[in-house]
Amino acid sequence: MDLDVRPQPLPGITRLSLGALSGLLAGYAAIAVAELVSAAVRPESGPVIAVGGAAIDRTPSGVKDWAIRNFGTNDKLVLQLGILAVLTVLALVLGALAARWRVIGSAGVLAFGVVGAAAATSRPDSTGLGDALPSVVGAVVGAGLLYLLIGRLGTHRARAEQPGERTETADGVPTAAGAPSDRATASGTGDEAEDSRWDRRGFIVAATAAAAASTGAGLAGRALNGSQGQDAVASRAKVVIPAPSSSAAPVPRGAALRIKDISPFMTPDGDFYRVDTALVVPKVDATSWRLRIHGKGVTRERTLSFDDLLRMPLIERDITLTCVSNEVGGPYVGNARWIGVRLADLLTECGVRPPSKGGPADQLVARSVDGMTIGSPVDDVMDGRDAMLALGMNGRPLPFEHGFPVRMLVPGLYGYVSACKWIKDIELTTFDAYDAYWVERDWARKAPIKTESRIDTPKPFGRPKAGTVMVAGVAWAQHRGIDKVEVRVDDGPWEEARLAAEDTRDTWRQWSYEWTAAKGGHTLTVRATDRTGETQTEKRAPTIPDGASGRHSVVVTVD
Ligand SMILES: Nc1nc2c(c(=O)[nH]1)N[C@H]1C(S)=C(S)[C@@H](COP(=O)(O)O)O[C@H]1N2
Ligand SMILES: [Mo]
């Protein structure tokens, strides 16, 4: 390749393509620089995370529910890839536009900077105008780069002024007549003459340098962002949770059935479902963490440190957590052994009385470091159940994904009305005065967990062998307890399943049923009855607004 060949004006199609390429490079530079700057502000302030977060905040509940259902915990990855795909297309289009109207391309890049900045500062966890910085700096660099690269392509206008310049063949290749043969004829000014030519060497050098510098900035930003939270990691490593003053009884031996493919009674940490709006898992340093308790009826306001909590009497309890977005038969339910401070005791120390005892506040609003708000009924929290500020999960400090250093748990309530992770503030208020995050998005104010049961084995469309087939699964009705599980084959009678021993009424219960299976296609259905005598309804309800109902069925073919 001879870079010194005398530059020629660009054929239209090539110009457009190089414009699009310039747009892509400018977009890449903008994102990379923003990533680098975000490391100096906060990882959450980068435009992709910010726009993603703002999108999550504004997504209609139905779409979000659909995303959680279809992508599960990958929903966040899918969202970010989607944003990058959209940005790629927009960058290509802006670049192509810039090839025709140089300023418009750069103005477009700046406009996206404004969108990113607005998204970053509008997030509930935004710490101020500084969050706009990554988007703004990235956009300025991207806009400048696009302007510079397009400049290397020569001015479109100067070419248009050339007599005969507009004569192009069908595929956009200008006729020989259109090519200015020397500098002097291009235009009156030397600059314009220079500009009307395409500076191939200049373009290649600038494009290559920009790509390399962007990659460097992006990687450096990634590395810096990735290394953030070291203090939090170190603080977690140092946590020693004292022995509880009230231990959980050992799990009864009969609570965990030895059946292949049944959900383990205790969900291993790595398999425990995760549902939250955080695109970046908050890394909170336990040594500087504080929890403030205040609001209506709080006569002794308190601000507690992590060590303060560690010095209080701790309770250890097995609690099954369930997400309101869990479909009938779905996976968003998990059981763990938690350790923490009894919330009711702490509230009582602060002077809080539940409304049933004349207190003025009926809603407890928990706020997290990432701006989530979760509202729970004060009466439920203080009715004697083991609502807690959990510090530990399965014998270890909480994993970051599950809320380190402290999260709330209220047995019997769906997570979105009880289980605030990365909690930092508790405010006593009323349901009349305040709607929490999900309530603003059409979910119910109050949401006790519905009685449900799930068939874990056989799997849907499984092909068990004729004869004895073990049908088994789990059933839950937290804080009421499960008293009976029944299985039905096709339209036959309900047959009582064998219940595993109960751990507590706040945990799920395994069950099994020995089915004498005849060849052919069959539908297995399960239903549970809780300790109030209520049998799981067959009435199907969607997850919105207060949790799915209906019965789980599995279709199998017996060979
Ligand atoms: N800060 C914060 N806490 C949160 C959420 C969230 O999005 N942000 N989601 C809630 C929901 S909807 C559920 S079901 C539980 C899930 O807890 P897990 O991810 O530990 O299983 O956390 C709750 N606590
Ligand atoms: Mo949830």
Side-chain angles (χ1 to χ4, degrees), residues 68 272-278 282 321-325 332 334 338 367-374 393 401-403 407-409 414-423 437-438:
I68 290 178
F272 206 97
Y273 81 92
R274 177 187 159 204
V275 170
D276 56 58
T277 58
L321 191 59
T322 310
C323 182
V324 71
S325 290
Y332 302 128
W338 311 88
R367 276 192 185 77
S368 71
V369 300
D370 65 328
M372 174 54 61
T373 53
I374 287 183
M393 179 180 186
E401 291 80 8
H402 296 293
R407 77 175 303 167
M408 217 174 101
L409 291 174
Y414 285 118
Y416 86 103
V417 286
S418 69
C420 187
K421 305 193 270 188
W422 316 293
I423 192 172
Y437 185 92
W438 296 105

Side-chain angles (χ1 to χ4, degrees), residues 170-212:
D171 55 3
V173 179
T175 59
S181 51
D182 81 52
R183 280 159 186 260
T185 60
S187 157
T189 78
D191 259 14
E192 290 269 311
E194 197 68 56
D195 273 352
S196 71
R197 315 271 172 70
W198 111 268
D199 174 6
R200 183 157 79 171
R201 178 210 284 268
F203 183 86
I204 292 172
V205 168
T208 311

Side-chain angles (χ1 to χ4, degrees), residues 249-268:
V251 173
R253 282 188 41 201
L257 301 176
R258 260 186 239 114
I259 294 175
K260 194 171 165 293
D261 293 333
I262 196 170
S263 304
F265 179 73
M266 283 292 179
T267 312

Side-chain angles (χ1 to χ4, degrees), residues 160-465:
E161 277 165 12
Q162 292 293 318
E165 181 63 20
R166 287 207 173 273
T167 353
E168 292 182 352
T169 59
D171 55 3
V173 179
T175 59
S181 51
D182 81 52
R183 280 159 186 260
T185 60
S187 157
T189 78
D191 259 14
E192 290 269 311
E194 197 68 56
D195 273 352
S196 71
R197 315 271 172 70
W198 111 268
D199 174 6
R200 183 157 79 171
R201 178 210 284 268
F203 183 86
I204 292 172
V205 168
T208 311
S214 303
T215 303
L219 289 178
R222 266 284 138 105
L224 286 170
N225 274 330
S227 70
Q228 287 194 357
Q230 289 312 309
D231 293 350
V233 173
S235 77
R236 184 173 180 275
K238 279 207 238 56
V239 171
V240 180
I241 301 179
S245 55
S246 167
S247 310
V251 173
R253 282 188 41 201
L257 301 176
R258 260 186 239 114
I259 294 175
K260 194 171 165 293
D261 293 333
I262 196 170
S263 304
F265 179 73
M266 283 292 179
T267 312
D269 286 4
D271 294 346
F272 206 97
Y273 81 92
R274 177 187 159 204
V275 170
D276 56 58
T277 58
L279 285 173
V280 177
V281 174
K283 292 262 175 72
V284 180
D285 183 345
T287 55
S288 55
W289 174 89
R290 294 289 181 277
L291 172 71
R292 183 172 166 233
I293 304 176
H294 61 110
K296 282 197 180 73
V298 177
T299 52
R300 285 176 295 276
E301 204 178 297
R302 294 190 73 171
T303 300
L304 299 155
S305 69
F306 191 71
D307 281 342
D308 289 338
L309 293 185
L310 288 179
R311 279 192 290 266
M312 293 177 184
L314 300 179
I315 57 170
E316 178 189 51
R317 296 290 181 268
D318 297 340
I319 299 170
T320 299
L321 191 59
T322 310
C323 182
V324 71
S325 290
N326 194 46
E327 290 284 320
V328 172
Y332 302 128
V333 49
N335 185 40
R337 175 158 287 197
W338 311 88
I339 189 163
V341 172
R342 256 188 117 248
L343 187 50
D345 295 349
L346 193 53
L347 292 172
T348 303
E349 279 178 33
C350 296
V352 176
R353 278 171 303 137
S356 56
K357 298 220 172 83
D362 63 358
Q363 181 177 215
L364 180 158
V365 174
R367 276 192 185 77
S368 71
V369 300
D370 65 328
M372 174 54 61
T373 53
I374 287 183
S376 320
V378 177
D379 267 332
D380 289 350
V381 171
M382 300 186 79
D383 72 355
R385 72 183 81 192
D386 294 316
M388 65 162 100
L389 291 173
L391 320 167
M393 179 180 186
N394 295 332
R396 282 177 295 276
L398 293 178
F400 287 107
E401 291 80 8
H402 296 293
F404 181 85
V406 181
R407 77 175 303 167
M408 217 174 101
L409 291 174
V410 184
L413 307 184
Y414 285 118
Y416 86 103
V417 286
S418 69
C420 187
K421 305 193 270 188
W422 316 293
I423 192 172
K424 68 160 192 196
D425 186 283
I426 289 179
E427 181 179 358
L428 279 297
T429 179
T430 61
F431 280 101
D432 280 344
Y434 186 78
D435 280 343
Y437 185 92
W438 296 105
V439 176
E440 277 190 322
R441 288 160 180 78
D442 304 331
W443 297 81
R445 289 200 168 81
K446 299 182 183 176
I449 296 171
K450 295 181 179 178
T451 301
E452 272 296 332
S453 49
R454 181 176 75 194
I455 299 172
D456 289 333
T457 179
K459 295 282 171 228
F461 310 113
R463 304 193 71 106
K465 293 261 168 302

